């Protein structure tokens, strides 16, 4: 059974600082997704990582995938308040069915 | 733009009522999913469907059933609502993995259900 672990679960950081969210998964996969959820809202797709070594960047967020280590990271650079949200990673099990397995989410709060 | 529409944003129901949550998508996606989201528990899959009239149990199917009579519509049914089914319910859709490399899963806005 595929397991996806995120850490930390909660992260409070000051504006301007850098930090990284980690997503570990337990079985072979080469397709990983990051989502963002604002309070009371639904999930929006942020990044799709489709191969080992894939790196995607948008604004102050950068995601990477290491399939050998079964690890993805979401790096936040010089955080700003509007990045406050919950971030989920989700893994597509290779040769599995079409469902994603989600991590428990990281609630990020940026403090002015 | 992908559109995944859930019929209600907020619902209040009484214990024992039969509850229908509807989800409609306009992307011709094969796969549709129902999740519930509770604080501290993340997203938990209730049921999913990979084709019309096909369904598979997710991680927490007890107390729920689903219906998929048409490709674009996936309904979640609470046969007899209970207070522990108070939650945020999210519908999602996804194409087939052969249809495109990215194969993103798209979510509806969610239905916040309160069972009193």
């Amino acid at each position: 059974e595929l397991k996806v672990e995120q850490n930390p679960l909660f992260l409070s950081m000051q504006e301007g600082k850098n930090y990284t969210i980690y997503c570990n998964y337990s079985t072979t996969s080469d397709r990983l997704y990051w989502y963002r959820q604002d309070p009371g809202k639904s999930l929006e797709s942020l990044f799709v990582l489709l191969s080992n070594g894939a790196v995607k960047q948008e604004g102050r967020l950068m995601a990477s995938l290491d399939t050998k280590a079964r690890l993805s990271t979401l790096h936040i650079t010089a955080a700003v308040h509007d990045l406050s949200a919950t971030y989920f990673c989700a893994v597509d099990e290779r040769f599995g069915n079409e469902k994603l397995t989600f991590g428990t989410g990281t609630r990020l709060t940026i403090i002015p | 733009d992908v559109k995944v529409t859930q019929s209600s944003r907020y619902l209040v129901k009484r214990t024992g009522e039969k509850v229908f949550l509807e989800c409609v998508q306009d992307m011709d996606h094969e796969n549709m999913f129902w999740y519930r989201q509770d604080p501290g528990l993340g997203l938990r899959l209730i049921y999913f469907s990979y084709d019309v009239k096909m369904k598979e149990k997710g991680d927490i199917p007890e107390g729920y059933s689903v219906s998929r009579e048409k490709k674009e519509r996936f309904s979640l049914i609470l046969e007899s609502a209970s207070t522990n089914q108070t939650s945020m319910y999210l519908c999602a859709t996804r194409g087939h993995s052969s249809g495109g490399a990215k194969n993103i899963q798209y979510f509806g806005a969610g239905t916040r259900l309160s069972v009193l």
Side-chain angles (χ1 to χ4, degrees):
Chain A
E1 181 190 342
L2 172 58
K3 291 200 184 304
V4 181
E5 288 186 357
Q6 276 181 248
N7 67 84
L9 297 185
F10 299 94
L11 177 56
S12 184
M13 54 191 289
Q14 285 190 307
E15 278 190 326
K17 299 287 188 185
N18 304 333
Y19 210 82
T20 301
I21 298 169
Y22 297 89
C23 174
N24 290 90
Y25 54 96
S26 62
T27 192
T28 303
S29 176
D30 53 10
R31 198 193 297 239
L32 189 138
Y33 302 79
W34 283 96
Y35 286 85
R36 169 182 172 142
Q37 185 180 36
D38 292 305
K41 301 284 180 68
S42 190
L43 279 77
E44 286 182 35
S45 175
L46 280 177
F47 299 111
V48 182
L49 302 166
L50 297 177
S51 61
N52 186 39
V55 177
K56 293 285 178 73
Q57 180 161 9
E58 182 156 336
R60 300 173 189 272
L61 298 177
M62 184 173 73
S64 65
L65 178 61
D66 180 343
T67 58
K68 292 178 183 171
R70 298 180 183 169
L71 171 68
S72 180
T73 60
L74 180 66
H75 187 73
I76 302 138
T77 303
V80 292
H81 180 69
D82 64 6
L83 289 179
S84 296
T86 300
Y87 294 87
F88 291 90
C89 64
V91 177
D92 208 350
E93 187 172 357
R94 190 186 283 182
F95 309 125
N97 52 32
E98 301 282 357
K99 66 184 180 82
L100 295 177
T101 301
F102 283 82
T104 48
T106 296
R107 185 184 287 182
L108 174 63
T109 304
I110 311 294
I111 304 164
Chain B
D1 258 7
V2 174
K3 215 166 178 185
V4 184
T5 304
Q6 293 186 229
S7 51
S8 307
R9 290 298 311 274
Y10 302 94
L11 268 182
V12 179
K13 296 291 181 181
R14 298 220 173 265
T15 303
E17 278 193 76
K18 191 168 186 175
V19 181
F20 293 86
L21 303 183
E22 307 283 347
C23 177
V24 178
Q25 51 108 350
D26 67 353
M27 281 300 293
D28 202 34
H29 281 169
E30 291 82 1
N31 302 290
M32 295 188 76
F33 307 85
W34 276 106
Y35 296 88
R36 67 177 280 177
Q37 186 176 23
D38 301 287
L41 296 177
L43 286 166
R44 293 183 291 169
L45 181 65
I46 304 170
Y47 268 98
F48 68 102
S49 168
Y50 51 89
D51 203 348
V52 175
K53 296 193 187 296
M54 306 303 285
K55 62 185 178 185
E56 283 203 27
K57 293 180 181 179
D59 301 316
I60 51 162
E62 296 79 18
Y64 303 94
S65 61
V66 290
S67 171
R68 191 155 179 213
E69 296 296 318
K70 294 185 178 181
K71 190 175 186 180
E72 68 269 20
R73 187 181 295 268
F74 192 34
S75 303
L76 179 69
I77 303 153
L78 287 64
E79 295 289 343
S80 176
S82 64
T83 54
N84 64 11
Q85 292 178 310
T86 292
S87 187
M88 169 74 100
Y89 290 87
L90 292 166
C91 173
T93 77
R94 194 173 187 219
H96 193 275
S97 54
S98 64
K102 286 193 173 180
N103 203 18
I104 293 170
Q105 182 162 308
Y106 296 93
F107 285 84
T111 297
R112 190 165 293 280
L113 172 67
S114 297
V115 182
L116 306 178

